[in-house]
């Protein structure tokens, strides 16, 4: 029997208990041993829970118990999770976590401790909820040089955008619904401002290319500026707007991770990924493109990934899984402003034809989406930084929105 402790009895933590109890028999068979929940750490009281006797409020009880071999961290946030996870590893316990903020920010340091202590630190649930993506990148795609990863990494914003596109539902109503369904972060600004997706692309970049990417250095835009007008222009263009996490590796081995809402053409598989679903496309030199799709948020999908990691830890109680990345050097992240690509520009103008010819003189206008009137909407190509500085300079138009195009 392997004793485990679960830290946090919120949506994910309670889901982990539910899955472990519900699928107890098959999980025991797969793990090759039974898994016993010895403690659940939470500051709140759960007097009606059938597990009431297992609840503790003091982390030291778990830390000091040598019988606890695996600790599951589902508290979220950096504090106190960082301190607790570090202390678990230092006291000889493997850790499974769903905490994106923790792994994105402190993964490099915590993985080094796990390596030194010959323990496991597994975090499949930190990206894509229930979708297997961490293990596939490290194991199944190990033969490949990965060049690109692009995906829909946040269920809450995908749910909101889907409601806006398909039901013309107001933003706030869709967000409230996502919160009720347990998709959103404790602080939903992490979802709608793109921060959650930023942490996830930082983790995928660190993992795929072996060097730490600080999420604070990832160029990030959220979806709060997206309006139903932009959604309508995207439809006229032949696509939809999605929040996209993306990283490209360049020939000098530098990387460009970004998160922003983008026009996605209707022929792209990503355009059909709706509601809380996530999808992640990985491009490798041997395999080509491979796509991972599934429920990216929610209690049981996330618990599914956490419990799979617990099973893996039980099976490898004295052996380390290869999950590791090193510190990166300054300049490793390439400036997104140097990227060449297409952008959608929507602007108020006083002289429609004059503004259009001003844009055409400076950039290649691929398509005009507006009809002559008080607003100009075009797709143009250029270097991102040059487009932005021209439009923010003395341009004869007032920019209403500027949205990337990803094909
Ligand atoms: N708030 C996150 C999302 C939860 O909506 O994707 C899963 O990471």
């Amino acid at each position: 029997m392997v004793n485990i402790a679960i830290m946090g009895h919120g949506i994910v933590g309670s889901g982990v208990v539910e899955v472990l109890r519900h699928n107890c028999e098959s999980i025991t068979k797969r793990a090759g041993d039974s898994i016993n929940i010895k403690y659940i750490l939470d500051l709140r009281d759960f007097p009606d829970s059938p597990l009431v006797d297992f609840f503790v409020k003091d982390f030291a009880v778990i830390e000091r118990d040598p019988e606890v071999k695996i600790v599951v961290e589902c508290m979220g946030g950096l504090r106190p999770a960082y301190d607790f996870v570090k202390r678990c590893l230092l006291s000889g316990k493997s850790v499974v976590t769903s905490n994106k903020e923790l792994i994105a920010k402190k993964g490099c340091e915590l993985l080094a401790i796990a390596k030194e202590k010959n323990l496991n630190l597994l975090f499949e649930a930190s990206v894509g909820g229930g979708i297997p993506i961490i293990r596939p990148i490290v194991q199944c795609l190990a033969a490949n040089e990965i060049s690109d990863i692009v995906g829909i990494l946040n269920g809450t914003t995908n749910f909101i955008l889907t409601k806006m596109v398909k039901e013309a539902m107001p933003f706030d109503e869709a967000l409230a619904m996502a919160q009720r369904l347990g998709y959103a972060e404790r602080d939903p600004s992490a979802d709608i401002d793109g921060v959650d997706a930023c942490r996830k692309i930082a983790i995928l970049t660190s993992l795929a290319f072996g060097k730490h990417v600080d999420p604070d250095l990832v160029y990030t835009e959220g979806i709060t500026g997206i309006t139903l007008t932009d959604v309508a222009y995207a439809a006229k263009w032949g696509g939809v707007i999605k929040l996209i996490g993306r990283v490209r590796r360049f020939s000098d081995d530098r990387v460009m991770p970004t998160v922003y809402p983008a026009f996605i053409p209707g022929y792209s598989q990503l355009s059909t990924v709706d509601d809380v679903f996530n999808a992640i496309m990985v491009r490798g030199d041997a395999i080509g493109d491979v796509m991972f799709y599934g429920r990216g948020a929610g209690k049981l999908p996330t618990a599914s990934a956490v419990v799979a990691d617990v099973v893996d830890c039980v099976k490898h109680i004295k052996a380390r899984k290869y999950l590791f990345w090193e510190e990166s050097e300054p300049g490793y992240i390439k400036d997104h402003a140097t990227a060449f690509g297409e952008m959608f520009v929507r602007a108020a103008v006083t002289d429609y034809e004059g503004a259009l010819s001003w844009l055409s003189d400076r950039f290649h206008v691929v398509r005009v989406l507006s009809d002559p009137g008080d607003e100009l909407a075009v797709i143009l190509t250029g270097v991102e930084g040059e487009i932005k500085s021209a439009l923010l300079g003395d341009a004869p138009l007032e920019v209403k929105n500027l949205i990337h195009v990803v094909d």
Side-chain angles (χ1 to χ4, degrees):
M1 183 175 78
V2 176
N3 285 299
I4 71 166
I6 301 172
M7 303 196 293
H9 197 60
I11 288 170
V12 179
S14 61
V16 170
V17 173
E18 198 175 319
V19 171
L20 279 171
R21 286 166 70 91
H22 191 260
N23 295 343
C24 177
E25 205 175 309
S26 59
I27 288 171
T28 302
K29 269 192 205 144
R30 285 181 191 136
D33 209 338
S34 61
I35 296 168
N36 178 50
I37 301 171
K38 189 162 182 186
Y39 304 111
I40 300 173
L41 179 75
D42 205 294
L43 291 175
R44 298 164 297 175
D45 291 313
F46 295 87
D48 301 328
S49 166
L51 296 165
V52 67
D53 295 337
F54 302 108
F55 279 92
V56 291
K57 292 188 184 347
D58 182 5
F59 166 70
V61 173
I62 295 170
E63 185 184 24
R64 289 194 200 121
D65 187 337
E67 287 188 350
V68 173
K69 300 293 181 206
I70 300 164
V71 177
V72 179
E73 187 275 305
C74 301
M75 294 183 294
L78 216 47
R79 314 246 174 239
Y82 167 56
D83 183 40
F84 287 2
V85 166
K86 194 168 169 178
R87 284 163 62 184
C88 285
L89 293 169
L90 290 171
S91 59
K93 303 172 197 314
S94 284
V95 174
V96 171
T97 180
S98 56
N99 190 330
K100 303 138 299 200
E101 187 175 0
L102 177 70
I103 295 300
K105 202 73 193 160
K106 301 288 185 184
C108 192
E109 179 196 346
L110 295 172
L111 284 165
I113 298 173
K115 185 180 180 189
E116 195 192 316
K117 294 276 182 186
N118 198 31
L119 296 164
N120 285 303
L121 170 60
L122 303 183
F123 44 88
E124 185 61 68
S126 66
V127 181
I131 306 172
I133 182 65
I134 302 292
R135 222 172 247 90
I137 284 182
V138 174
Q139 294 183 348
C140 317
L141 300 176
N144 288 263
E145 284 294 332
I146 293 171
S147 57
D148 295 80
I149 301 176
V150 55
I152 293 169
L153 301 173
N154 182 268
T156 300
T157 46
N158 205 39
F159 183 86
I160 293 170
L161 289 170
T162 304
K163 291 284 173 200
M164 286 173 77
V165 170
K166 299 212 159 155
E167 297 172 31
M169 186 183 279
F171 179 91
D172 291 345
E173 204 179 304
L175 172 59
M177 194 183 275
Q179 286 177 295
R180 269 201 310 281
L181 291 167
Y183 303 149
E185 295 299 299
R186 273 184 304 187
D187 171 7
S189 65
D191 294 298
I192 58 180
D193 292 339
V195 177
D196 177 75
C198 157
R199 291 171 181 147
K200 291 167 177 168
I201 200 69
I203 293 172
L204 293 179
T205 307
S206 300
L207 196 66
F209 305 117
K211 290 186 186 178
H212 182 68
V213 165
D214 189 321
D216 293 343
L217 300 180
V218 175
Y219 176 74
T220 302
E221 287 174 26
I223 65 162
T224 51
I226 301 298
T227 65
L228 290 176
T229 307
D230 301 312
V231 166
Y233 276 121
K236 188 169 179 186
W237 170 76
V240 289
I241 300 177
K242 297 284 185 192
L243 184 70
I244 296 295
R246 182 183 196 195
V247 59
R248 285 163 281 175
R249 178 153 79 160
F250 292 82
S251 51
D252 59 3
D253 278 349
R254 292 196 297 156
V255 295
M256 189 187 285
T258 49
V259 171
Y260 40 62
F263 276 34
I264 303 290
Y267 58 75
S268 161
Q269 280 178 306
L270 289 179
S271 73
T272 62
V273 176
D274 285 334
D275 297 318
V276 75
F277 283 84
N278 285 190
I280 305 153
M281 190 284 290
V282 181
R283 181 168 297 152
D285 59 350
I287 194 163
D289 291 355
V290 55
M291 181 83 112
F292 301 87
Y293 170 84
R295 287 183 188 277
K299 180 177 177 169
L300 296 181
T302 310
S304 154
V306 172
V307 173
D309 275 353
V310 173
V311 169
D312 217 2
C313 269
V314 171
K315 286 167 76 175
H316 297 91
I317 208 92
K318 290 195 177 80
R320 267 199 85 249
K321 302 279 293 180
Y322 187 76
L323 275 184
F324 198 68
W325 60 77
E326 301 169 340
E327 291 292 351
S328 53
E329 61 282 356
Y332 175 56
I333 294 178
K334 203 171 158 83
D335 184 359
H336 72 95
T338 62
F340 180 88
E342 291 191 1
M343 295 198 89
F344 165 77
V345 180
R346 181 165 68 81
V349 291
T350 44
D351 171 8
Y352 185 93
E353 293 301 336
L356 184 54
S357 82
W358 184 90
L359 276 178
S360 306
D361 286 346
R362 284 156 184 81
F363 304 102
H364 174 56
V365 175
V366 182
R367 195 161 154 199
V368 179
L369 293 168
S370 51
D371 299 316
D374 64 346
E375 193 170 68
L376 177 65
V378 298
I379 305 282
L380 50 78
T381 51
V383 175
E384 187 178 326
E386 289 172 13
I387 295 174
K388 284 181 177 167
S389 54
L391 293 177
L392 293 174
D394 57 354
L397 41 78
E398 185 196 337
V399 176
K400 295 286 185 194
N401 220 339
L402 188 60
I403 302 175
H404 291 80
V405 176
V406 171
D407 54 15

